[in-house]
Amino acid sequence: MRSSLNLMSLATRRQECLRARLRQWLAILGVTAAGLCLFGAERYWAYHHAVHKQLRMEAKYEPIADLQKSNKSLTRQIDAIRKEEQFVLALSNREPVVTLLGVLGESIADSDNHVFLQKIELNNAIESNSAATQQSTLELAGIANSGSAVKDFTDTLQSSIPFGKLGVTSTKEQRLKQQTVQDFSLQCTF
């Protein structure tokens, strides 16, 4: 049996024991850190793979999503057209008024937004000479950017209503928000 004799001092033996324990803990921490790094790398790769898979699926099904969006917008347009159709059908018994409003709207659209109507009044009167003849009078009032815009509007309206007699009853220059505009009124009989 061999026995060894330790000639180191107590303080040196303690230091040597602490160094040995420190080396052991550093080795354990190193192995643990390496394991955690490998685990983190594997988790990151799995996450990265899942993200790419999701992006591929989104790219694959993006046309379907676009079709759904366009389907929704087309459904809204169809509903709007149906509502407009119901409105027009509800006004079908008042066809002359609807036609007249359409003619006025087209005439204003042709004026490139230089004419704005403020008053539209339709009066139906029976002439005293013959009880069967009915005469309608359309009175319009509004503002325009210039006198030529009023003349163009009147000419467009006259060509749209060829059977009517259209006349300008008054025009007056006016200041509106530091701009000169033409205040006009028209009368059309048919």
Side-chain angles (χ1 to χ4, degrees):
M1 210 164 57
R2 293 170 95 200
S3 69
S4 60
L5 186 62
N6 192 352
L7 297 174
M8 289 193 287
S9 68
L10 186 60
T12 306
R13 277 187 273 167
R14 282 186 184 155
Q15 279 181 349
E16 194 60 35
C17 187
L18 282 175
R19 283 184 193 137
R21 295 285 183 249
L22 185 60
R23 281 192 296 270
Q24 288 173 348
W25 278 109
L26 284 175
I28 291 170
L29 286 175
V31 169
T32 306
L36 287 175
C37 284
L38 288 174
F39 180 73
E42 188 273 331
R43 289 283 88 206
Y44 176 74
W45 181 83
Y47 168 75
H48 193 62
H49 181 68
V51 166
H52 279 297
K53 186 177 179 181
Q54 180 183 358
L55 290 175
R56 281 194 309 270
M57 294 298 273
E58 286 176 359
K60 183 178 178 182
Y61 293 113
E62 185 174 354
I64 294 173
D66 290 342
L67 286 175
Q68 286 177 336
K69 287 179 186 175
S70 65
N71 186 21
K72 287 179 183 176
S73 69
L74 289 175
T75 303
R76 284 193 298 266
Q77 288 176 353
I78 288 170
D79 289 340
I81 290 170
R82 283 184 181 153
K83 288 179 183 175
E84 185 176 329
E85 179 186 18
Q86 289 172 355
F87 176 72
V88 170
L89 289 175
L91 291 176
S92 64
N93 59 347
R94 300 174 185 170
E95 186 179 333
V97 176
V98 174
T99 305
L100 184 62
L101 289 175
V103 167
L104 287 174
E106 288 177 5
S107 299
I108 289 172
D110 289 344
S111 73
D112 294 329
N113 293 328
H114 294 293
V115 175
F116 304 96
L117 291 180
Q118 296 172 324
K119 174 185 156 189
I120 302 171
E121 189 174 318
L122 181 63
N123 297 320
N124 292 328
I126 297 174
E127 284 186 11
S128 59
N129 298 344
S130 68
T133 306
Q134 184 175 356
Q135 184 178 13
S136 297
T137 304
L138 176 68
E139 294 181 17
L140 304 171
I143 56 172
N145 288 351
S146 63
S148 62
V150 174
K151 183 178 179 331
D152 292 342
F153 175 69
T154 306
D155 293 342
T156 305
L157 196 58
Q158 181 66 50
S159 64
S160 298
I161 309 174
F163 54 86
K165 181 179 147 191
L166 183 66
V168 178
T169 55
S170 70
T171 58
K172 184 170 59 171
E173 200 170 278
Q174 199 177 31
R175 301 275 305 167
L176 181 67
K177 292 187 180 179
Q178 300 176 354
Q179 234 181 0
T180 304
V181 294
Q182 291 288 326
D183 191 9
F184 69 91
S185 60
L186 306 172
Q187 186 172 12
C188 177
T189 54
F190 50 93

